[in-house]
């Protein structure tokens, strides 16, 4: 079962989760019925650059995460589930 995150604050969309252990580019998925406006339940997001020990922002792509371009949310929720360690769907060209 995914952990419960403390809260997601409205604009600029800061996720507060004590001692989350995530780093830039880590994929996360938010779930539950209480996902804030601006995020979609079940969608893969990426931790934006320079997360601190207890807070982070998310981006829609790895490139946006590296650039520090994060998703802006328009409402605050006090509890939401988050799944970490997910593998994002492959998008691109593969050759051997």
């Amino acid at each position: 079962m995914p952990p419960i995150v403390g809260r997601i604050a409205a604009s600029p969309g800061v996720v507060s989760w004590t001692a989350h252990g995530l780093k830039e580019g880590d994929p996360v998925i938010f779930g539950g019925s209480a996902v804030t406006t601006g995020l979609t339940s079940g969608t893969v997001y990426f931790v934006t650059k320079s997360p601190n020990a207890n807070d982070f922002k998310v981006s829609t792509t790895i490139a946006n995460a590296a650039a520090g371009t994060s998703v802006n949310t328009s409402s605050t929720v006090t509890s939401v589930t988050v799944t970490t360690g997910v593998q994002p769907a492959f998008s691109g060209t593969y050759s051997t």
Side-chain angles (χ1 to χ4, degrees), residues 14-92:
V14 175
V15 181
S16 297
W17 180 10
T18 303
H20 56 74
L22 298 171
K23 62 185 185 312
E24 177 185 321
D26 281 350
V28 296
I29 296 176
F30 297 99
S33 59
V35 175
T36 183
T37 304
L39 298 175
T40 302
S41 182
T43 297
V44 177
Y45 294 95
F46 301 91
V47 175
T48 304
K49 73 177 184 178
S50 304
N52 70 36
N54 299 313
D55 299 303
F56 61 94
K57 297 178 185 178
V58 294
S59 301
T60 55
T61 66
I62 291 175
N64 283 348
T69 305
S70 60
V71 174
N72 192 29
T73 59
S74 60
S75 62
T76 297
V77 294
T78 56
S79 66
V80 65
T81 60
V82 63
T83 302
T84 62
V86 296
Q87 295 297 318
F90 176 76
S91 175

